[in-house]
Each structure stands twice: as structure tokens, then as C-alpha cells.
Amino acid sequence: IASGLVTAQQGGTGAGTKEIGGKPKVRRGLAPTVGPYRLDMNTDDVSKLVELTASEKEALNLAVEFRNERIYHAPHAEFSGVTWDIVLGAVDSRVYKVSALSVLENREQRDRIWRNLEGVLRTRLGTPATATATIVTWDTEDGNVVVDRAEAGGDYAVVLTLTSRAVSGFARLK
């Protein structure tokens, strides 16, 4: 479940529509603000950030890393009636990723939170770009929004991930 927190889901550049496989790719609205956290904000505007330890970063098994990247635990946030654990990814103090995790006691709680969150996002962002039984993705003007539900080792989780379109301009280390 932890590896779902900071996966590098990257969007393209620009806004509006883009042709993908002959179909227009619609970008609608902006990624939501989760509590006080929003894409492209400055980390100096957030208090009580704690950088992940080397072992925590290793556990994430990051597929992509950027030059001058920092990953932080941030204070909890409220969004859509849920209190979320928050991890922020930033490059040069600019937040490019907001990952929100809610670990629940059982599958029914997880699925209720999932349905509510998906409904809120469909209302704000419209029809998703892609949707499966466990992952729903929207392309937004400023990046993308992904809602994922998972279970592992008796834990049930919902993960909300916002990724800034700015990642396309960052220098990759891997």
C-alpha cells in the first residue's frame, strides 16, 4: 500500500484537449485542494513537514526520481469527509505530488469511502479519462488525479494522488 503513495504518474504538457489514439483527451478543471495542500504550492507555505527517511524512500520503490526532489510527511488533511495521511513530493520547494492515504478497518468502509470520493470527483471533474474496478484517473488542466483502492495484509486503503503537469519539465535522475 505504501508504494501507491508516491507513484510517478506523469501527465503531458498543456491544457485543453489532446488527441490520444484518435480520441480527444479532455482536460477539465483543476486538481482539487486536499485540506491546505494543492499542486504547485511552495513547501515554505506548509509547517511541520518531515522529510522521509532513507529507509522510507527505499520502501516506496520509486520508479522515477528527480533532481532536487524532496518527499515529506505532512500534517493530516480533511477532504470529502475523510481524514487523510499526507505525503508531498516537491522539486525545488514546488509541490508536484500530493498523495493522500486512508487506511480502513474493512472492505465495506473502504468501498464506501471510494464510492463517495469517486462521486465527488466525477461531479467536479466530469467523466474520468480511464476507469477500472480499482483505479480511476482524470486529466486536469494542471495535471492528473488518480483514486486507487487496495488491500494487502488485512489492510484496506483508499489512495488519492494528485500529480502536477510540471513533472514533464523536471530533470530525472532515474
Side-chain angles (χ1 to χ4, degrees):
I1 291 175
S3 65
L5 272 178
V6 189
T7 55
Q9 301 142 358
Q10 296 185 10
T13 58
T17 61
K18 182 178 179 182
E19 288 286 323
I20 301 288
K23 292 183 175 184
K25 181 176 182 178
V26 178
R27 297 186 195 332
R28 183 174 147 190
L30 298 174
T33 299
V34 177
Y37 310 113
R38 68 185 186 289
L39 293 179
D40 303 315
M41 70 184 290
N42 192 304
T43 56
D44 294 338
D45 297 336
V46 182
S47 61
K48 300 182 182 176
L49 292 179
V50 177
E51 193 164 353
L52 269 65
T53 65
S55 61
E56 288 173 317
K57 285 177 75 173
E58 185 177 318
L60 291 175
N61 195 25
L62 300 172
V64 176
E65 291 183 39
F66 301 108
R67 182 180 306 136
N68 300 324
E69 178 180 36
R70 300 280 187 261
I71 301 174
Y72 302 97
H73 291 287
H76 292 82
E78 297 288 326
F79 180 73
S80 190
V82 177
T83 300
W84 300 89
D85 293 327
I86 302 293
V87 173
L88 302 177
V91 170
D92 295 324
S93 300
R94 180 180 177 186
V95 173
Y96 75 88
K97 187 171 297 285
V98 177
S99 293
L101 170 70
S102 180
V103 178
L104 302 147
E105 293 180 12
N106 57 56
R107 183 176 291 120
E108 293 75 25
Q109 284 181 324
R110 182 208 54 200
D111 291 347
R112 182 175 38 80
I113 298 292
W114 163 269
R115 283 188 304 274
N116 180 59
L117 182 59
E118 183 185 13
V120 166
L121 293 171
R122 281 180 185 267
T123 298
R124 287 178 90 166
L125 302 174
T127 303
T130 62
T132 69
T134 59
I135 300 174
V136 181
T137 304
W138 289 265
D139 291 310
T140 62
E141 293 173 28
D142 55 351
N144 67 32
V145 175
V146 178
V147 179
D148 185 10
R149 62 179 164 180
E151 60 185 81
D155 289 330
Y156 301 89
V158 176
V159 182
L160 170 63
T161 306
L162 318 176
T163 305
S164 173
R165 192 160 312 291
V167 299
S168 64
F170 293 160
R172 289 175 64 153
L173 297 177
K174 75 171 193 176

